[in-house]
Amino acid sequence: MRLNIVESKNAKQLYIIKSCRINGKNTSKIVEKLGTYENLLKEHDDPIAWGKERAAELTRLEKEQMRSVSIDFKQDTLISSGERKSFNCGYLFLEHIYHSLGLHKICKTITKKYKFEYNLDSILSRLIYSRIIFPSSKLSTFQMSKNFLEKPEFELNQIYRSLDVLASETDFIQSELYKNSKKLSKRNDRILYYDCTNYFFETEEADGIRQYGISKENRPNPLVQMGLFMDGDGIPLVFHINSGNTNEQTTLKPLEEQLIKDFGHSKFVVCTDAGLSSTSNRLFNNKADRAFITTQSIKKLKAYLKEWSLAPDGWRVLGSDTKVYNLKNVEESTVFEHFMDKIFYKERWINENGIEQKLIVTFSFRYRDYHRSLRDRHIERATKALTKPSSLNKKRATDMKRLIKSTPVTKEGEIAEKNIYELDVEKISEESKFDGFYGICTNLEDKAEKIARISHNRWEIEECFRIMKSEFKARPVYLRNDERIKAHFTTCFLSLVVFRYLEKVLENKVTTSTLIATLKNMNMLKIKGEGYIPVYERNEWTDQLHEKFGFRTDYEIISTEQMKKILKKVKT
């Protein structure tokens, strides 16, 4: 800052001005009006010397972020057409993780390989930030990228061109990301969780990898299927996209082989649900360096194992192996309430299809009551549905219509075209036998408590799918080209990795929706020649973010120079 003197016929005015850049041009801005030379002479022996000292003082205060800032606005002046004044700064925390994971370096390697002109790093980073904060189409993503503090360094057509490259390099991106993440922090990759889901398209035309299959959401649309490995901390490891009509049990081995080959990771325990626990998959992980933990349907066990699983005697409490309980006696005891939140278990070794494995069955009175309340609601809905027989086509096993049976009879009890619908009492009674029970199979020799705890954490991979489908709006998909469809899910996968690391930094203390809303609402108003004013609500989560990442955007005003330092900091 410097002293500026403007002389006119009647007076000599003293101002403090500073150089700045506005709309791409170098200019100067008045920081403070000191007054006329004659008036200042009444208070200072040498107004010019004092003015220079004042300019030096304001320069020092600005460097120390302590200067008071005055901003002049005029009521009769229109804002400039096409000028953007509001910008999102919440993405900066995502940008820090993006760079910490070395995704910018991965983009640099790919760019060098293909020798293209456009900025792949700028494109991929904006696809990720937008997928988390402003999930939308690629066209809308291009427009929304202008909301970030840093301008996008690409054009719309370059986004579409980059999708083909991202699809071709998906395996390379995933393997390099895994290596980089291990440098960032230790990965909890001794236990891996695997699951499949599918995503529907807003079309009825099936072609390429868009094929009709069994929809997880009961949608009558073409699908693609995603297989996903997640580590023990809930952070995605590797994924693959298959056609929608693929049998999900066949997807585990190829992705696991890719994990071993490209990631150099071969010692782990695979945890899956019952739908992926085929004999072939169990045998594949029945190796010296690998093992399996899978949920086991008690209903599908052999008769003698089912009888053993449901028998009331021979139960122990997880965390205590000293006493054996009979569940009927526990329920009838005076201290029953004490056992409501306890988890009981029993275990035995079995040989099924040539595999020696441990069968662990758990039981919880609380879990039993949950099952009962869920069925009671289904019975209530089924009873109401009996009044509309035309809608009673049976669907999936979790549909309330499973509890209704139909019999074609005449008034005389003979077989006829008319159906009589009624509650299936026998089915309801049979289902109730399994309330509160949960089965697990494994070839590990660890204690039941440890196995049960590992299996319980499988909910996090389901949470990953929920985040992608709901918060990230990964479906419905509008793309047609197979390569661009794969690229779309590559960016969704990378977004999930970045977001999961953000949750980890915050120690998983905030809900997904709250965290995303916090980032989305962190907007700043740009003031020409001065800097940025936060226009968001400061709260416990913005404080947590600033504390964890080591920079702050919540001062009353942040100078342009200070913002440049923040932008540099998040990339190191």
Side-chain angles (χ1 to χ4, degrees):
M1 296 185 197
R2 64 184 185 278
L3 178 67
N4 186 43
I5 304 172
V6 178
E7 296 189 40
S8 64
K9 293 181 179 180
N10 301 320
K12 182 163 44 173
Q13 296 281 350
L14 276 65
Y15 302 91
I16 304 293
I17 63 171
K18 73 170 184 176
S19 300
C20 58
R21 193 171 180 82
I22 298 177
N23 298 331
K25 297 181 180 180
N26 292 324
T27 184
S28 59
K29 177 178 179 12
I30 296 175
V31 174
E32 192 172 296
K33 297 177 181 179
L34 301 181
T36 64
Y37 183 88
E38 290 73 14
N39 288 336
L40 290 173
L41 194 58
K42 298 174 183 178
E43 300 179 11
H44 306 282
D45 294 334
D46 188 344
I48 294 178
W50 173 81
K52 291 180 179 180
E53 290 177 1
R54 178 60 180 164
E57 174 67 9
L58 291 177
T59 301
R60 181 186 66 80
L61 291 173
E62 183 168 75
K63 289 181 178 180
E64 296 175 359
Q65 296 294 295
M66 294 173 62
R67 179 175 69 88
S68 296
V69 177
S70 297
I71 303 169
D72 292 329
F73 290 107
K74 295 181 180 179
Q75 293 178 320
D76 62 348
T77 302
L78 292 172
I79 61 174
S80 302
S81 176
E83 181 183 2
R84 188 179 295 270
K85 289 181 175 290
S86 178
F87 297 91
N88 176 272
C89 67
Y91 81 97
L92 294 176
F93 306 101
L94 303 174
E95 186 165 53
H96 182 82
I97 295 172
Y98 176 93
H99 281 266
S100 297
L101 290 171
L103 281 163
H104 62 300
K105 294 180 180 178
I106 295 174
C107 289
K108 185 176 181 180
T109 301
I110 295 173
T111 300
K112 187 176 181 181
K113 175 181 176 180
Y114 287 85
K115 298 179 181 178
F116 44 65
E117 296 288 329
Y118 57 84
N119 191 331
L120 182 63
D121 174 35
S122 183
I123 293 173
L124 181 59
S125 60
R126 270 55 185 179
L127 286 173
I128 290 173
Y129 309 154
S130 296
R131 179 58 53 187
I132 296 171
I133 304 177
F134 309 114
S136 56
S137 67
K138 302 299 178 286
L139 173 59
S140 295
T141 294
F142 174 68
Q143 298 296 334
M144 296 302 291
S145 293
K146 298 174 184 178
N147 285 347
F148 299 134
L149 279 172
E150 299 162 287
K151 293 181 180 179
E153 299 176 13
F154 53 87
E155 298 299 328
L156 176 61
N157 68 300
Q158 294 173 336
I159 293 182
Y160 292 109
R161 288 170 59 191
S162 72
L163 294 179
D164 294 331
V165 175
L166 291 174
S168 300
E169 297 298 325
T170 291
D171 291 347
F172 170 74
I173 292 171
Q174 291 182 88
S175 62
E176 287 299 298
L177 181 63
Y178 173 69
K179 294 172 187 175
N180 293 346
S181 69
K182 293 189 75 174
K183 297 175 184 176
L184 181 62
S185 64
K186 185 174 172 139
R187 291 292 295 261
N188 184 8
D189 53 12
R190 181 72 180 92
I191 306 293
L192 302 183
Y193 296 86
Y194 182 74
D195 204 353
C196 286
T197 193
N198 46 44
Y199 298 84
F200 67 89
F201 288 75
E202 200 62 77
T203 181
E204 294 182 0
E205 180 183 355
D207 62 353
I209 59 175
R210 301 185 304 174
Q211 295 294 327
Y212 285 99
I214 300 175
S215 172
K216 302 282 186 180
E217 300 166 83
N218 199 31
R219 300 281 307 203
N221 303 82
L223 311 166
V224 294
Q225 183 188 87
M226 173 186 281
L228 176 70
F229 268 108
M230 178 194 81
D231 71 13
D233 288 332
I235 297 176
L237 198 65
V238 62
F239 85 101
H240 193 266
I241 294 296
N242 305 296
S243 61
N245 58 1
T246 304
N247 181 343
E248 65 179 16
Q249 290 195 352
T250 66
T251 64
L252 178 106
K253 288 171 62 177
L255 195 55
E256 212 173 309
E257 288 169 344
Q258 178 185 337
L259 190 62
I260 295 169
K261 177 186 175 184
D262 295 345
F263 288 44
H265 186 48
S266 59
K267 297 181 180 180
F268 48 81
V269 177
V270 178
C271 186
T272 68
D273 65 11
L276 292 157
S277 61
S278 65
T279 299
S280 174
N281 287 339
R282 296 190 197 197
L283 283 169
F284 186 69
N285 286 301
N286 192 30
K287 306 284 177 68
D289 292 337
R290 300 199 302 277
F292 66 83
I293 298 173
T294 182
T295 57
Q296 172 64 53
S297 172
I298 299 175
K299 296 178 183 179
K300 295 181 180 180
L301 287 172
K302 292 179 179 178
Y304 77 97
L305 290 175
K306 189 187 300 182
E307 182 181 354
W308 171 82
S309 299
L310 301 179
D313 58 321
W315 294 87
R316 301 178 187 273
V317 174
L318 283 180
S320 173
D321 297 328
T322 57
K323 191 173 181 179
V324 179
Y325 296 89
N326 182 293
L327 296 180
K328 285 186 178 180
N329 294 339
V330 170
E331 189 169 16
E332 294 170 359
S333 70
T334 57
V335 292
F336 171 63
E337 288 296 327
H338 172 72
F339 290 96
M340 276 298 291
D341 293 315
K342 300 290 185 184
I343 298 177
F344 296 85
Y345 78 95
K346 58 169 65 173
E347 59 183 338
R348 63 180 292 174
W349 283 91
I350 61 175
N351 190 312
E352 293 291 306
N353 300 311
I355 308 175
E356 287 288 338
Q357 50 194 308
K358 184 192 292 185
L359 171 62
I360 302 170
V361 180
T362 66
F363 175 82
S364 162
F365 286 107
R366 188 76 69 187
Y367 191 40
R368 180 201 63 180
D369 291 349
Y370 167 73
H371 277 158
R372 287 180 176 177
S373 65
L374 192 63
R375 187 181 303 100
D376 286 343
R377 291 198 293 271
H378 284 179
I379 292 173
E380 182 181 353
R381 290 171 57 206
T383 302
K384 291 180 180 179
L386 288 172
T387 61
K388 296 180 180 179
S390 60
S391 65
L392 295 177
N393 294 320
K394 288 191 176 180
K395 293 186 178 182
R396 55 181 61 190
T398 55
D399 195 317
M400 60 83 183
K401 296 173 186 175
R402 77 191 186 281
L403 304 179
I404 297 174
K405 68 177 182 178
S406 65
T407 308
V409 296
T410 63
K411 292 180 179 180
E412 291 75 24
E414 298 177 352
I415 296 177
E417 294 182 1
K418 182 180 178 181
N419 286 349
I420 290 181
Y421 294 92
E422 59 185 336
L423 288 176
D424 192 336
V425 178
E426 291 182 4
K427 185 172 184 64
I428 293 172
S429 176
E430 179 65 20
E431 277 194 9
S432 65
K433 295 178 182 179
F434 300 92
D435 291 348
F437 293 91
Y438 186 82
I440 305 170
C441 272
T442 181
N443 57 347
L444 292 170
E445 297 182 2
D446 299 67
K447 288 186 176 182
E449 183 174 15
K450 181 178 179 180
I451 301 299
R453 186 170 61 250
I454 292 172
S455 181
H456 172 74
N457 289 338
R458 197 172 50 78
W459 68 268
E460 289 208 58
I461 196 165
E462 296 172 0
E463 176 73 358
C464 284
F465 289 143
R466 188 198 65 76
I467 290 173
M468 277 197 285
K469 289 183 176 182
S470 299
E471 272 77 10
F472 292 1
K473 294 181 172 57
R475 56 52 169 151
V477 187
Y478 296 93
L479 298 166
R480 297 179 53 131
N481 178 279
D482 282 358
E483 293 303 300
R484 292 187 176 183
I485 290 170
K486 292 176 182 177
H488 166 72
F489 286 105
T490 298
T491 59
C492 290
F493 169 82
L494 295 175
S495 301
L496 186 61
V497 173
V498 170
F499 185 75
R500 282 303 218 179
Y501 267 106
L502 179 62
E503 290 182 313
K504 189 177 178 182
V505 170
L506 296 176
E507 301 173 354
N508 297 308
K509 292 179 179 179
V510 57
T511 65
T512 299
S513 57
T514 298
L515 181 52
I516 291 176
T518 299
L519 299 178
K520 185 175 182 177
N521 292 330
M522 293 185 71
N523 293 319
M524 309 194 84
L525 180 65
K526 184 176 182 180
I527 305 300
K528 287 182 180 180
E530 289 292 354
Y532 301 85
I533 295 177
V535 290
Y536 59 87
E537 178 187 359
R538 179 187 168 195
N539 55 42
E540 62 174 313
W541 301 120
T542 62
D543 283 350
Q544 282 282 320
L545 286 166
H546 289 130
E547 181 181 338
K548 296 291 185 180
F549 284 86
F551 65 87
R552 302 201 73 95
T553 62
D554 53 0
Y555 293 107
E556 289 186 350
I557 187 167
I558 298 174
S559 69
T560 303
E561 288 301 314
Q562 184 61 21
M563 184 57 74
K564 288 179 181 178
K565 293 178 182 178
I566 292 174
L567 296 176
K568 184 178 180 180
K569 181 180 179 64
V570 299
K571 297 177 184 178
T572 57

